[in-house]
Amino acid sequence: QKEVEQNSGPLSVPEGAIASLNCTYSDRGSQSFFWYRQYSGKSPELIMFIYSNGDKEDGRFTAQLNKASQYVSLLIRDSQPSDSATYLCAVPTSGTYKYIFGTGTRLKVLA
Amino acid sequence: GAVVSQHPSWVICKSGTSVKIECRSLDFQATTMFWYRQFPKQSLMLMATSNEGSKATYEQGVEKDKFLINHASLTLSTLTVTSAHPEDSSFYICSARDYGQGYTFGSGTRLTVV
């Protein structure tokens, strides 16, 4: 059973701080990793994806991937109250196009 | 960027009736679309993979006769919940793969069966 695990939270951070969200996966063959943001009652929206080990930055967001340790993380710098949402880690099953989603981490940014 | 349109955004139906949900890729062709279901405070659970011109592939535990999927064109997939019951009430979301863009989700359909 391929799995993607996230801490459900809630993770509370003050406005302006760095929020760190983590995700571990079990399929060593996974090649790509996606972070989605989901506001309550809405569908997920893609924040960023990462394929290579190391860091990938996009604005206030940085994805970090460590394939040897099988974890991927998302850092949100200068967190804003509007960043309060559930963040889903998604990992396509190797050899298929099917995503496996983590349960999501609920982030609360306190004004 | 890629846009996936999903309709209706919400629907209330009586127990025993059927409901059809449409998912369209607006600016790209999608040979594969996915249908998910999400219960409150839970993650997305893949129900089935919709393949253009062929039968859908259902995940274990999903009744294919209850959740009918049709993917008749490269831009349209439909999910029909047949003989709906209150336990089918959920948030249904489709997604499609746009090469190079990852997966884009529709806006979701909140189904309430009364």
Side-chain angles (χ1 to χ4, degrees), chain B residues 16 18 21 46 60 68 79-80 83 90 106:
Chain B
S18 296
I21 303 170
L46 180 65
Q60 192 172 7
L68 301 179
L79 168 69
T80 301
S83 186
S90 187

Side-chain angles (χ1 to χ4, degrees), chain B residues 40-96:
Chain B
K41 298 190 178 180
Q42 294 187 22
S43 192
L44 283 76
M45 296 301 296
L46 180 65
M47 298 175 66
T49 303
S50 172
N51 305 297
E52 187 268 335
S54 64
K55 291 182 179 180
T57 305
Y58 291 82
E59 295 301 302
Q60 192 172 7
V62 178
E63 300 174 59
K64 61 181 181 180
D65 294 330
K66 182 171 183 61
F67 298 99
L68 301 179
I69 291 173
N70 184 283
H71 195 154
S73 76
L74 286 170
T75 59
L76 175 63
S77 175
T78 61
L79 168 69
T80 301
V81 182
T82 63
S83 186
H85 290 285
E87 57 265 30
D88 298 323
S89 299
S90 187
F91 192 45
Y92 293 85
I93 313 173
C94 68
S95 76

Side-chain angles (χ1 to χ4, degrees), chain A residues 67-109:
Chain A
K67 290 186 179 180
S69 300
Q70 294 176 244
Y71 84 77
V72 57
S73 61
L74 179 70
L75 301 179
I76 306 174
R77 289 181 299 281
D78 189 24
S79 296
Q80 302 296 309
S82 58
D83 294 326
S84 298
T86 297
Y87 289 80
L88 299 166
C89 173
V91 181
T93 306
S94 56
T96 78
Y97 296 132
K98 297 195 297 186
Y99 271 7
I100 296 178
F101 281 89
T103 52
T105 298
R106 189 167 154 227
L107 174 67
K108 287 186 175 180
V109 181

Side-chain angles (χ1 to χ4, degrees), chain A residues 1 6 34 36 38 40-46 49 51 88-89 92 96-104 106, chain B residues 32 34 36 38 41-46 49 57 59 91 93 97 99-108 110:
Chain A
Q1 178 81 8
Q6 296 179 256
F34 297 79
Y36 286 84
Q38 186 177 24
S40 181
K42 303 293 185 181
S43 67
E45 53 181 334
L46 180 66
F49 54 87
Y51 295 105
L88 299 166
C89 173
T96 78
Y97 296 132
K98 297 195 297 186
Y99 271 7
I100 296 178
F101 281 89
T103 52
R106 189 167 154 227
Chain B
T32 303
F34 302 90
Y36 294 86
Q38 186 176 37
K41 298 190 178 180
Q42 294 187 22
S43 192
L44 283 76
M45 296 301 296
L46 180 65
T49 303
T57 305
E59 295 301 302
F91 192 45
I93 313 173
R97 182 170 179 255
Y99 291 90
Q101 300 281 338
Y103 292 78
T104 300
F105 286 87
S107 55
R110 185 157 304 282

